[in-house]
């Protein structure tokens, strides 16, 4: 069964969504603040997130930026302006539905996102690099490389955007956790460690720095 995280601080709306999902046989995890949501995401294999934007602590917009793109996010918010919708969608949300919402529409949007997520190839490939989702490792020329969780997150973001520069801020948002407050120096250390692991197998450079902006896969 699919596991859905409901991030909503309004008790009545939270209860309504939770009961609706459980009737459809989804496993529901609940968070009432942004901080609680990030902890649950870190410690669970979440298949989809239903996210309010106006939350105590860390707001929904910041959660969108921090969550790995492999987890689909449907924003459920009272904010109705096009500016709010466009911004959060460009930052990484997969869908946006305004309150009040129709139950049947919400369930349909959930099904669509879960289907799209299932159809995507979990293993990302670029040149002769393959990132393996199941065991969180990287394979180059049939050699398997063990990655830390942070290194895996960095490589996944780079491989999801092989022809684009991934900004330092985007990577820092993804790898900063309650246990590790990363800055540019620590990000560079993580990148350096990934490069060292790759060099044990091949001298080809796969990651290049774009001065003052971030990192990208070398073309």
């Amino acid at each position: 069964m699919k596991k859905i995280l409901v991030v909503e601080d309004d008790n009545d709306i939270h209860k309504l969504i939770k009961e609706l999902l459980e009737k459809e046989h989804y496993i529901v995890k609940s968070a009432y603040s942004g901080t609680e949501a990030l902890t649950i995401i870190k410690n669970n294999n979440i298949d989809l997130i239903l996210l309010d934007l106006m939350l105590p602590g860390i707001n929904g917009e910041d959660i969108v930026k921090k969550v790995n793109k492999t987890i689909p996010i449907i924003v459920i918010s009272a904010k109705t302006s096009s500016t709010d919708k466009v911004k959060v969608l460009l930052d990484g949300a997969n869908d946006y539905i305004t309150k009040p919402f129709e139950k049947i529409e919400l369930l349909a949007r959930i099904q669509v996102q879960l289907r799209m997520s299932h159809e995507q190839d979990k293993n990302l490939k670029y040149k002769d690099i393959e990132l393996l989702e199941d065991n969180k490792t990287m394979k180059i020329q049939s050699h398997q490389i063990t990655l830390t969780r942070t290194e895996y997150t960095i490589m996944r973001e780079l491989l999801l955007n092989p022809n684009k520069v991934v900004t330092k801020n985007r990577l820092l948002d993804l790898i900063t956790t309650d246990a590790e407050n990363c800055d540019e120096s620590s990000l560079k250390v993580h990148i350096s460690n990934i490069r060292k692991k790759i060099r044990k197998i091949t001298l080809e450079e796969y990651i290049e720095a774009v001065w003052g902006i971030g990192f990208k896969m070398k073309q």
Side-chain angles (χ1 to χ4, degrees):
M1 289 191 292
K2 296 296 185 180
K3 188 180 295 183
I4 297 178
L5 172 61
V6 178
V7 190
E8 170 63 70
D9 64 327
D10 184 296
N11 287 325
D12 292 335
I13 297 176
H14 197 123
K15 182 180 178 182
L16 182 151
I17 295 174
K18 185 173 187 294
E19 291 177 351
L20 176 66
L21 296 179
E22 288 178 340
K23 285 181 181 178
E24 298 296 319
H25 307 292
Y26 292 113
I27 299 171
V28 180
K29 303 292 288 186
S30 293
Y32 296 86
S33 71
T35 304
E36 185 181 8
L38 291 177
T39 300
I40 292 173
I41 294 166
K42 176 183 174 182
N43 296 322
N44 293 268
N45 292 320
I46 300 298
D47 295 296
L48 182 139
I49 300 169
L50 298 179
L51 178 67
D52 186 23
L53 295 181
M54 294 180 284
L55 297 167
I58 301 172
N59 63 37
E61 288 91 343
D62 286 339
I63 290 175
V64 169
K65 295 175 185 177
K66 291 177 181 292
V67 172
N68 194 297
K69 287 183 179 178
T70 58
I71 306 175
I73 299 174
I74 300 177
V75 171
I76 305 176
S77 176
K79 293 184 176 183
T80 60
S81 77
S82 296
T83 301
D84 290 322
K85 293 178 182 179
V86 169
K87 184 178 186 306
V88 78
L89 289 168
L90 290 176
D91 282 342
N94 300 79
D95 200 354
Y96 195 112
I97 186 169
T98 55
K99 300 175 183 176
F101 54 85
E102 295 290 338
K103 295 179 183 178
I104 190 170
E105 181 183 358
L106 176 60
L107 289 174
R109 289 174 183 253
I110 290 170
Q111 290 175 20
V112 168
Q113 291 301 325
L114 289 174
R115 182 172 66 244
M116 291 173 63
S117 178
H118 177 73
E119 289 172 353
Q120 289 176 350
D121 184 5
K122 289 185 176 181
N123 293 342
L124 295 172
K125 298 177 182 179
Y126 180 77
K127 295 186 177 179
D128 56 355
I129 283 184
E130 184 174 11
L131 202 61
L132 307 177
E133 170 73 18
D134 290 340
N135 56 7
K136 301 294 188 290
T137 59
M138 182 166 63
K139 188 165 69 173
I140 300 178
Q141 301 171 0
S142 77
H143 297 276
Q144 199 151 305
I145 300 172
T146 301
L147 299 173
T148 67
R149 183 178 62 189
T150 299
E151 291 166 356
Y152 179 86
T153 299
I154 291 169
M155 284 303 303
R156 185 161 191 87
E157 189 65 17
L158 292 173
L159 290 174
L160 281 168
N161 302 277
N163 300 312
K164 299 178 181 178
V165 179
V166 180
T167 66
K168 290 178 285 187
N169 286 340
R170 171 62 182 167
L171 291 172
L172 287 172
D173 282 339
L174 289 174
I175 66 177
T176 296
T177 65
D178 293 337
E180 183 180 6
N181 185 21
C182 293
D183 56 19
E184 285 192 29
S185 295
S186 56
L187 174 60
K188 289 178 181 178
V189 170
H190 289 303
I191 294 287
S192 176
N193 288 339
I194 295 171
R195 284 170 166 161
K196 287 177 183 176
K197 291 180 179 182
I198 292 174
R199 287 193 191 109
K200 289 182 179 179
I201 297 171
T202 175
L203 294 178
E204 183 175 350
E205 291 290 337
Y206 287 93
I207 303 171
E208 64 177 334
V210 180
W211 191 85
I213 302 176
F215 299 89
K216 67 185 294 291
M217 297 304 295
K218 191 174 179 65
Q219 301 298 304

